[in-house]
Amino acid sequence: MIYVTGDMHGDYKIFKQSLFTKNLKKHDTLIICGDFGFIWNGDKNEKTVLDKLAKKSYTICFVDGTHENFDLLARYPIVGFAGGKAHKIRDNIYHLMRGQVFEIEGERIFAMGGGESPDIDIRFDNDTWSKAEIPAADELKEGVKNLENEKFAVDFIITHEPPQKIKAFLNLKDKENVRFTGLNAYFEEINSSCKFTRWYFGSIHEDKQVSPSHVAVYRNLVKLLTGEKVK
């Protein structure tokens, strides 16, 4: 079984919740929609937490968000994983690299992490911002190439940011102007040209079924195949 959840920001207590301990079984796969956050400062405590996660009987996969330490993440070895490229963190923990198509438990999944921090000015001043959070042109091109190889038809899409129109809809009640990025526009092109069953994304820190095929995840644990929230 494949499950999807949202931004974790390095909070190990999430894995201790009954929602996770009760539902995630041996050989299952958990996919996190960005801001994994368990690779942040590389200290001894962080290594201990990753070693604890390595003892889980299921596989943990994540796309990167905006709150990651990209320098540390890049130090992990790049391996072939489920038909795509990934950083291997532990034997059961993989960072799904940008623009890749993976076949996990028989499902073809297009993954594209990255985004642009809304608090970029503050994070820049605090020296916690990295330009690596924004996908490079070659990563975007590789994503298109891999989708072309799939004839623009996959089963599921996993990202951190949503497509532009979905982001606009989610911000209808905001008094401030919505800030769109080139990545949102890129996703909008994929949204209109690619066939898929369901698109899962994080970033907004909200659990919401935006449309029949677009799902924002945060604290819910959702079955990938059906979009059903588990309890």
Side-chain angles (χ1 to χ4, degrees), residues 15-230:
F15 284 96
K16 293 182 177 181
Q17 295 174 355
S18 61
L19 184 67
F20 285 76
T21 58
K22 182 174 65 175
N23 289 290
L24 288 163
K25 306 298 182 183
K26 189 175 182 179
H27 303 311
D28 284 342
T29 301
L30 173 67
I31 302 179
I32 301 159
C33 294
D35 285 355
F36 180 60
F38 290 94
I39 300 168
W40 188 253
N41 55 30
D43 63 12
K44 184 177 180 180
N45 180 64
E46 186 170 271
K47 181 181 181 297
T48 298
V49 172
L50 286 171
D51 288 342
K52 286 182 180 179
L53 292 177
K55 293 179 181 179
K56 301 294 183 184
S57 62
Y58 50 88
T59 300
I60 300 169
C61 299
F62 66 97
V63 297
D64 54 276
T66 56
H67 292 79
E68 317 282 5
N69 187 324
F70 292 96
D71 290 335
L72 283 180
L73 195 56
R75 295 178 189 174
Y76 285 92
I78 297 174
V79 299
F81 172 75
K85 293 185 294 187
H87 284 112
K88 183 178 180 180
I89 312 303
R90 295 291 190 274
D91 285 344
N92 68 324
I93 307 174
Y94 294 89
H95 165 233
L96 305 180
M97 295 179 69
R98 297 169 179 173
Q100 303 297 300
V101 176
F102 301 91
E103 185 169 334
I104 300 175
E105 297 186 26
E107 305 299 329
R108 293 171 303 155
I109 300 170
F110 175 73
M112 176 65 83
E116 189 171 322
S117 300
D119 57 347
I120 186 171
D121 294 335
I122 296 173
R123 294 187 62 204
F124 185 82
D125 290 341
N126 293 335
D127 198 28
T128 59
W129 178 80
S130 170
K131 65 179 181 180
E133 71 177 22
I134 303 170
D138 61 338
E139 293 173 322
L140 300 178
K141 289 177 181 177
E142 185 169 2
V144 172
K145 179 182 178 181
N146 287 331
L147 284 174
E148 284 179 344
N149 292 339
E150 299 293 329
K151 298 182 179 178
F152 287 97
V154 292
D155 296 308
F156 299 95
I157 295 178
I158 301 286
T159 62
H160 183 59
E161 280 279 324
Q164 185 166 307
K165 288 182 180 177
I166 296 298
K167 187 173 184 178
F169 176 79
L170 288 167
N171 288 274
L172 280 175
K173 295 181 180 180
D174 285 359
K175 295 181 180 179
E176 298 181 3
N177 291 330
V178 183
R179 185 166 178 265
F180 298 115
T181 68
L183 186 59
N184 296 129
Y186 173 85
F187 285 154
E188 190 58 43
E189 286 296 318
I190 291 176
N191 189 48
S192 61
S193 62
C194 187
K195 292 181 179 180
F196 58 92
T197 301
R198 201 166 288 107
W199 185 319
Y200 294 96
F201 60 92
S203 180
I204 67 168
H205 289 192
E206 186 176 349
D207 292 290
K208 190 178 184 68
Q209 180 90 35
V210 186
S211 78
S213 55
H214 298 85
V215 183
V217 287
Y218 182 41
R219 286 294 174 254
N220 283 350
L221 185 63
V222 178
K223 292 181 180 179
L224 178 91
L225 290 177
T226 62
E228 174 189 358
K229 178 179 70 173
V230 298

